Amino acid sequence: MTKLTGDPVRVLTRFGGVATAGQLRAACDPWAIRKAVRAGVILRSGPRRYALPTAAEGLAAAARVGGILAGPSAAAYWGWALKEQPSEPWVLFRRGWKRPGLDRAGLVIRWSRIPDEEVYDGRVTSPLRTVVDCLRWLPEPDALCVADSAIRSRRVDRPALIAALEEGPAYQRPRALRLATMADGRAANPFESVLRWTASAVPGLELEPQGDVDGIGHGDLVDKRLRLVIEAESHEFHTEKSAFRYDCRRYTAMVRAAWRVVRFVYEDVMGKPDYVRDVLRDVVALGPQTTYSNHAPGIDRRVMGGI
C-alpha cells in the first residue's frame, strides 16, 4: 500500500481532527506535513501531536465576543476526535447576560446557566460539561464520537457523565443518557464510533468494541454469540504494508476459526448508513455462525509475526 503524500488535512479529518505524529507520518510524507504546518492548516498541538486549527480559531472567536468556547469547538480544545469539524465556532453565553450589538455572524451561539466550576480558565467549558453539552446538542453519531473520545482520553469517565446528566436539566435527558450509556473509550476513532452507532439500530446484534476473537486478535466490533466481526477499513488507518499484511492474515485466521468477517469502508460508514444497516440486517438473518470441532487450530505465530 502506498503512502498518502499530499493532504495531511484530509488524514487528520479522518482521524477526527487530532492525531499523533506517528499516525500522521504513516499516512503522509514529512515534507507534506511541514508544508501544512507552515501554511497554518494543521498545528502542532503538543509533543508529537497534530491537530486541525479548530480549537485555536474557536478560542479567538470566543474571546472576540466575550463568550465561552463550547460544544464541539470545546471538544476540539480538549483534543478529542470529532466526526466532523464544526464549520463555525460554538460560543456559549450565560443566560441573562446582555450582549448588546452582538455580532452573531460566523458563530453558533448557545445560552445557558453555567456555574463557574464548569468553566475552565474563564474561556472554555470544562471537560465534563463539554461532553454533556455535546450529548444534548449534536446529532447522535457526532455526540457519541465526542463521548467515546472523552472517555478514551480519561478526562471524563462514564459514571460521572451519567450522574451529571441525571442531576442536570431535563432537556434532551433521555437521548443523552442513552448515548452516555453507549459511550465506550475502547473505540479507536470516530470511524469506529459511527459504525457502532449505526449498527446499534440493527435488532439482534450484541456488539463489543475491540472484542477478543478466540485469541486471534481484536475486532473493531465483535458479536460473540453470532461469531461476527465487523471491521472499519480505511487507508489512513492501515497505511503501512506490514499492517496490511497483518490484517489480511488476521481476517483469514478468523474465517478459519468459523467467524464471519464483515468489512466497511470509511465512505460508506460516514455517508451511507442505510447501506451499512441493510448489510448487517442480512448478516444477522443468517443466524449464528456454525462452529465445528476441527476448526483451525489457532494462529501460526510465525506467519502472524513475520509481517
Side-chain angles (χ1 to χ4, degrees), residues 7-297:
D7 196 356
V9 172
R10 176 174 176 267
V11 175
L12 269 176
T13 298
R14 291 204 174 191
F15 273 104
V18 292
T20 65
Q23 288 171 327
L24 194 58
R25 289 170 184 166
C28 303
D29 283 345
W31 70 265
I33 298 172
R34 291 193 295 270
K35 181 179 178 181
V37 170
R38 287 197 299 269
V41 294
I42 70 173
L43 306 174
R44 291 189 177 91
S45 60
R48 298 185 58 77
R49 291 187 65 83
Y50 291 89
L52 294 173
T54 306
E57 293 170 354
L59 283 171
R64 174 173 59 82
V65 296
I68 301 164
L69 196 67
S73 297
Y77 173 89
W78 293 114
W80 300 334
L82 304 173
K83 178 178 180 286
E84 296 179 359
Q85 300 300 303
S87 58
E88 299 174 332
W90 287 58
V91 180
L92 176 68
F93 292 99
R94 285 187 167 92
R95 195 177 299 280
W97 188 12
K98 303 300 182 182
R99 296 290 300 171
L102 174 63
D103 182 7
R104 296 170 178 260
L107 300 174
V108 178
I109 301 293
R110 289 290 185 270
W111 300 84
S112 178
R113 294 182 177 88
I114 180 168
D116 290 341
E117 60 267 23
E118 294 183 0
V119 181
Y120 174 77
D121 198 27
R123 57 181 187 163
V124 60
T125 52
S126 68
L128 181 59
R129 177 59 188 254
T130 297
V131 183
V132 167
D133 286 343
C134 287
L135 289 175
R136 289 178 173 143
W137 295 343
L138 298 183
E140 290 193 7
D142 302 65
L144 183 61
C145 289
V146 172
D148 281 355
S149 187
I151 293 172
R152 188 165 62 245
S153 74
R154 300 185 180 181
R155 288 184 179 272
V156 174
D157 63 57
R158 185 163 54 187
L161 178 58
I162 291 172
L165 289 166
E166 289 175 338
E167 296 167 4
Y171 172 70
Q172 293 283 16
R173 183 186 291 160
R175 189 196 86 144
L177 279 171
R178 175 169 51 81
L179 291 169
T181 301
M182 188 188 302
D184 196 312
R186 289 176 292 177
N189 48 59
F191 187 7
E192 293 183 16
S193 297
V194 174
L195 178 56
R196 190 169 90 260
W197 176 84
T198 302
S200 70
V202 177
L205 281 176
E206 300 175 5
L207 296 173
E208 176 187 0
Q210 297 300 317
D212 177 70
V213 183
D214 286 351
I216 295 168
H218 290 81
D220 293 337
L221 293 172
V222 174
D223 187 319
K224 294 184 178 179
R225 180 181 59 88
L226 295 178
R227 295 184 71 81
L228 173 64
V229 178
I230 305 173
E231 290 286 297
E233 297 287 358
S234 176
H235 288 296
E236 281 78 5
F237 303 111
H238 302 87
T239 52
E240 295 291 343
K241 290 181 179 179
S242 58
F244 175 69
R245 287 195 295 267
Y246 178 86
D247 275 348
C248 284
R249 291 166 182 165
R250 182 168 60 95
Y251 298 148
T252 299
M254 290 175 181
V255 173
R256 290 179 69 197
W259 287 78
R260 288 193 180 101
V261 180
V262 180
R263 301 162 68 186
F264 292 106
V265 298
Y266 182 91
E267 290 77 9
D268 288 344
V269 169
M270 295 302 191
K272 299 179 180 179
D274 290 340
Y275 163 74
V276 173
R277 292 190 189 101
D278 286 345
V279 170
L280 293 177
R281 288 190 189 101
D282 289 344
V283 173
V284 171
L286 295 174
Q289 174 74 314
T290 301
T291 59
Y292 42 97
S293 59
N294 63 338
H295 68 269

